[in-house]
Amino acid sequence: MNPEASQLWRAPRWALAILLAALATVGPFSIDTYIPAFAGIAQALDATPIEMQQTLSGYLLGFAVMNLFHGALSDSFGRRPVVLWGMAVFALSSMGCALAGSIGQLVFWRTVQGLSAGAGVVVSRAIIRDMFPPSEAQRVMSQVTIFFGLAPAIAPMIGGFLYVHADWHAIFWFLVFIGALLFAVTWRLMPETLHRDHRQPFRVGSLMRGYRSLVGSRRFLLLALASGIPFNGMFLYVLAAPVFLGEHLGLAPTQFFIFFLFSIGGIMGGAWLSGRLAGKIAPRKQIRRGFLIMGFTSIANVVCNLTLPHSPYWAFPLISSFAFGWALMVPVVTLLVLDQAPERRGMASSLQACIGSAANGLVAGVLVPLVMHSMLALAVTSAAMMCIGLAAWTWVKREVSAAAAVPPTPTPGPEA
C-alpha cells in the first residue's frame, strides 16, 4: 500500500470507484455495443458467422497477450502513463474499426482494440491495492464491480439504437468517443498511486523471472482459475448472444438489452452483497456461498433445458443467479490473487487477467461456435466452467487459509 495514499485522493471513495470502474468497462463496451449489429456487419462485409466470431476471439486473444505487460509496465513506469497510453491506442483502433472495409481489416483492428483495452481493468486492480488495506480494498473492489456492471447493461442498448437509427459504423465511432473521454478524464483527475520507492526497473529478464515464479506457484494458478473460469459460465451466453437470443429465444436486436439487464443485475447484486460482507464473515465462507449459488443454478439450468420449452422467462433469471454467485465470490478471490505477489501486484494482476482473457478467447473462438446452436449444450458447457473453478478452489482453499497467518513470499525482483 502507498504510504501517502490518504493524500492522493481526497474526494469520496465512491468517486474513485466510479473512475476505476469506467476504465475497467472499456472491455465490456468493446464487446457488447456491437453484438446487436452482428448480422448487419456480416452482411455489409460479406462475412460468415464464423468469420464474425473471430472479431470476438481476436479481440479477446489480443486482450490476453497484452495483459501480460500492462501491469508489469505500470509497476515500472507508474499506473497513470499506462492507462493514458491504453486509452489513446483504444480510441485510434476504434477509429480503424469504424473505417474497416473488409472482415480482415475489422478482425485486425479488433485485435488492436484488445491489445489496448486491458490497461484499464488490469491497472485499476493494482490501484485499489495501492490505495487501500485488505478489508477496504474488498469494499472498493465490490463498488467497482457494481459500477462495472452498468456498462454491459447499457452498451447493447446503445449499440442497438445506433445500429437501427444510423449504421454499424456509428457503434465504433461511439467507442472512439469513449476512449477519448476516458483519456481526458484520466489526464485531469487520476493521481499516480504507485509510490516512487515501490517502482521496479523494467528489465525483460527480471520480468520473465517474476512471471516464471508466479506461473510456478500452484496457489496463484489455482486462485486465478477459480476466479476467471467460472466467469465463462455466464460469458459464453454473452458471446453466443446473436444465436442464443435471436434464434433460440426469438428476440429482436433491440430487445437484447433485456438479457443484459438480467445478467448484469446479477453481477451488481452479488458485488453489492460482497461489499456488505467485507470484514464480517471469513473470506472462505463468502467464496463457498458464491460457488453454492453457481452450482445449484447450473443444475437447475440443465434440468430446465431438458424439460421445458425455450423461454427467456426461466433462462434469464437462471443466468442472473449464476452471475450473482460469481460476483459474490470474485472480489475476495481477486484480492487473494494480488496478494500472492505483494511487491509486484501490477504483474500479478496482468497474469491473472491474461489467464482469464485467454480462457475467454478460447471460449469465444472454439467452444461457442461448437455449442451455440443448442441450448442444452450451452447449459452443460456453463456448468462445466463452474466445475473447473470449483475444483481449483477446493484444491487450494486449505493452502490459502494456512498462508493467511504468514507473510506471502515476495516475487523475485530485478536484483534476483
Side-chain angles (χ1 to χ4, degrees), residues 279-337:
K280 296 180 180 178
I281 66 172
R284 279 184 58 178
K285 184 177 292 186
Q286 185 168 329
I287 295 169
R288 181 169 67 246
R289 290 179 181 179
F291 274 114
L292 282 173
I293 293 170
M294 287 189 289
F296 283 119
T297 300
S298 296
I299 293 171
N301 193 23
V302 172
V303 171
C304 288
N305 275 282
L306 285 170
T307 59
L308 298 177
H310 299 167
S311 171
Y313 291 106
W314 58 260
F316 289 176
L318 286 175
I319 295 171
S320 178
S321 176
F322 189 101
F324 181 93
W326 175 80
L328 178 62
M329 66 90 178
V330 77
V332 185
V333 181
T334 298
L335 291 174
L336 290 174
V337 170

Side-chain angles (χ1 to χ4, degrees), residues 19-20 23-24 26 66 70 73-74 77-93 115-124 127 176 178-193 199:
L19 177 55
L20 296 177
L23 292 170
V26 169
M66 193 58 197
H70 287 310
L73 289 169
S74 76
F77 302 108
R79 315 301 189 199
R80 180 180 154 91
V82 173
V83 173
L84 288 172
W85 274 104
M87 293 306 99
V89 174
F90 176 81
L92 291 174
S93 59
L115 291 170
S116 59
V121 64
V122 170
V123 179
S124 64
I127 290 173
V176 174
I178 291 293
L181 178 63
L182 286 175
F183 178 92
V185 172
T186 301
W187 180 275
R188 178 70 179 84
L189 299 179
M190 175 64 72
E192 178 53 66
T193 64
R199 296 198 178 197

Side-chain angles (χ1 to χ4, degrees), residues 239-258:
L239 296 170
V243 174
F244 169 59
L245 301 175
E247 295 183 13
H248 295 314
L249 300 181
L251 300 180
T254 52
Q255 296 175 304
F256 283 12
F257 78 93
I258 301 172

Side-chain angles (χ1 to χ4, degrees), residues 206-226:
S206 171
L207 181 62
M208 292 301 103
R209 285 193 295 273
Y211 277 130
R212 186 168 63 247
S213 174
L214 283 178
V215 170
S217 169
R218 190 168 63 91
R219 187 189 307 163
F220 176 89
L221 290 178
L222 290 173
L223 286 171
L225 291 175

Side-chain angles (χ1 to χ4, degrees), residues 322-383:
F322 189 101
F324 181 93
W326 175 80
L328 178 62
M329 66 90 178
V330 77
V332 185
V333 181
T334 298
L335 291 174
L336 290 174
V337 170
L338 296 181
D339 286 342
Q340 300 308 302
E343 295 181 351
R344 297 296 298 265
R345 288 194 175 100
M347 184 177 67
S349 181
S350 277
L351 188 55
Q352 180 195 20
C354 177
I355 292 170
S357 299
N360 295 345
L362 290 173
V363 169
V366 179
L367 279 182
V368 169
L370 292 175
V371 304
M372 65 184 179
H373 296 292
S374 166
M375 287 275 284
L376 179 59
L378 284 169
V380 171
T381 305
S382 174

